[in-house]
Every structure is written in structure tokens, then in C-alpha cells.
């Protein structure tokens, strides 16, 4: 395949065999590199072992690798949440459930469950006391949270430990607070089932005011 024109003008990658445009590649210096396949020009087909049975929970636990979630999530969203969410009852109780985890001692408000990396299906809890909200997580993120490994600031012996990132000197932090894009926030909000509730409508109606308060 080869580049033919800028990605913003449409597909810029062509099939090496037939020459038809099949994808758009983003390779600008200010954007993450990515390739987007044109759905009307390509199709999926099975490859070796594609029809094999999905791994069981025990097999995933044995072969899986944890994926650390974004460690600054509270710093990123807490300011906006504190300003937008209405006062309510005490915070609920969320637990991690899934293969290899003990059943909760009492019914939590919500549970985070792993999504199978092959099928995308959320693990089904066997505990009859199922909480009201089930939150699926990518399996790697769930595994990292459910079975935390000891963090080594320096290698105990030998070279750098697996997954250890080093930057000398540390990269400078931006002096500006993170702000979500108002358009992205609005698009996500209107897709929620509870968007017609009063407190969510008020957030949408006051979105311009929140932008002036530099929440977005």
C-alpha cells in the first residue's frame, strides 16, 4: 500500500494488488498516527485459529497481562465532576468482581467486571446478589486493578523491570488544567439514557456558562 494524498481529503492508502483506495492514514506531526480502513472497501475474513473457542477465565488469568489505567484520572475529571454533579446521598460502594476474585461480603452499589479480550462479552457474575450497576472494563485494565503487583521504583537486580518507563530528567508538566472538549462532552451526555432527567438537562442548558468557568 502507498500514500496518495492528505488523509483529510479521503482515503489515501491504496491496495497494492488492485490499486483501489482502501484506508486513510493520519501521519501529521500534531496528531497520533493511525490508519482507518474504509468499511465499504474492505471485509473481514477468518485467519488461523480465528474460530477457536475463547479462552476460559482461568486461562486468561494465567496468560493475561495487566494494563495500568491512566493514573491521573482523578486529577483530570474531579474538578468538573465536583462542579457539575448535584448534591446527593453518600457515595456508593464499588468492587472488582471476576474470575479469581472472592464474592463480596455484601451487595455493592456497582461492580467492575472484565470484558473478554476475544469476544468482548462481559464476565457474568455467579453471585445471586448482583449489584444495580455492572461496569465492564478491558480485561488488561481489570486484571491490573484486581491483582496489583508490587511496584519496584528501581530494579532489584539486572536490567530495568518489564513495563518500567524512565525519563531523565522527568518531562515537565503542563501549567494548564485539563479541560474536556465541550462538543465531545455534549455528544457523550445526550447519548445517556437519563439525559431527560432534570439535573442532566440543566447541565446541557448551562454548558456555555460552564465553558466560561473554564470547565471545558
Amino acid at each position: 500500500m502507498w500514500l496518495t494524498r492528505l488523509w483529510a481529503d479521503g482515503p489515501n492508502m491504496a491496495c497494492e494488488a488492485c490499486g483501489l483506495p482502501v484506508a486513510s492514514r493520519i501521519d501529521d506531526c500534531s496528531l497520533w498516527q493511525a490508519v482507518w480502513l474504509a468499511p465499504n472497501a474492505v471485509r473481514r475474513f477468518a485467519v488461523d485459529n480465528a474460530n477457536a473457542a475463547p479462552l476460559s477465565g482461568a486461562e486468561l488469568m494465567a496468560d493475561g497481562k495487566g494494563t495500568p489505567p491512566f493514573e491521573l484520572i482523578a486529577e483530570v475529571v474531579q474538578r468538573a465532576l465536583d462542579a457539575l454533579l448535584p448534591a446527593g446521598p453518600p457515595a456508593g460502594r464499588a468492587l472488582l468482581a471476576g474470575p479469581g476474585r472472592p464474592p463480596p461480603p455484601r451487595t455493592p452499589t456497582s461492580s467492575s467486571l472484565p470484558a473478554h479480550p476475544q469476544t468482548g462479552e462481559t464476565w457474568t457474575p455467579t453471585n445471586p446478589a448482583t449489584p444495580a450497576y455492572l461496569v465492564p472494563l478491558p480485561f488488561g485494565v481489570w486484571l491490573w486493578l484486581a491483582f496489583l503487583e508490587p511496584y519496584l521504583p528501581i530494579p532489584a537486580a539486572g536490567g530495568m523491570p518489564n513495563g518500567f518507563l524512565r525519563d531523565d530528567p522527568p518531562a515537565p508538566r503542563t501549567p494548564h488544567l485539563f479541560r474536556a472538549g465541550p462538543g465531545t462532552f455534549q455528544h457523550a451526555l445526550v447519548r445517556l439514557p437519563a439525559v431527560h432527567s432534570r439535573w442532566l438537562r440543566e447541565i446541557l442548558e448551562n454548558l456555555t456558562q460552564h465553558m466560561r468557568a473554564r470547565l471545558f
Side-chain angles (χ1 to χ4, degrees), residues 4 12 22 43 49 69-70 78 87-88 108 116 120 134 152 157 161 166 194 201-202 208:
T4 59
N12 59 8
V22 294
R43 66 179 184 270
N49 299 323
F70 189 53
Q78 193 64 53
H116 199 286
L134 302 178
L152 297 177
R166 185 170 184 173
R201 287 203 317 270
E202 291 178 352
T208 302

Side-chain angles (χ1 to χ4, degrees), residues 5 17 27 101 138 157 172 176 188 191 213:
R5 59 179 181 271
D27 197 8
R101 295 284 300 178
H176 306 290
R191 296 171 62 191

Side-chain angles (χ1 to χ4, degrees), residues 26-175:
I26 301 174
D27 197 8
D28 294 343
C29 59
S30 60
L31 299 173
W32 290 103
Q33 294 189 12
V35 172
W36 301 88
L37 297 174
N40 60 340
V42 298
R43 66 179 184 270
R44 296 186 302 175
F45 64 92
V47 296
D48 294 341
N49 299 323
N51 296 323
L55 297 177
S56 65
E59 291 171 329
L60 289 174
M61 295 296 298
D63 299 335
K65 181 179 180 182
T67 304
F70 189 53
E71 297 179 357
L72 300 179
I73 190 65
E75 182 178 344
V76 168
V77 301
Q78 193 64 53
R79 175 171 170 265
L81 291 178
D82 291 341
L84 296 177
L85 293 181
R93 184 169 181 261
L95 291 177
L96 289 161
R101 295 284 300 178
R106 56 188 177 91
T107 303
T109 306
S110 64
S111 288
S112 295
L113 308 171
H116 199 286
Q118 294 171 304
T119 65
E121 296 182 358
T122 304
W123 181 82
T124 302
T126 56
N127 184 9
T130 303
Y133 298 101
L134 302 178
V135 182
L137 290 176
F139 180 79
V141 174
W142 175 88
L143 183 63
W144 190 89
L145 291 172
F147 301 93
L148 288 174
E149 297 181 359
Y151 173 74
L152 297 177
I154 58 175
M160 300 290 285
N162 184 32
F164 189 93
L165 299 179
R166 185 170 184 173
D167 192 0
D168 282 329
R173 299 190 62 180
T174 174

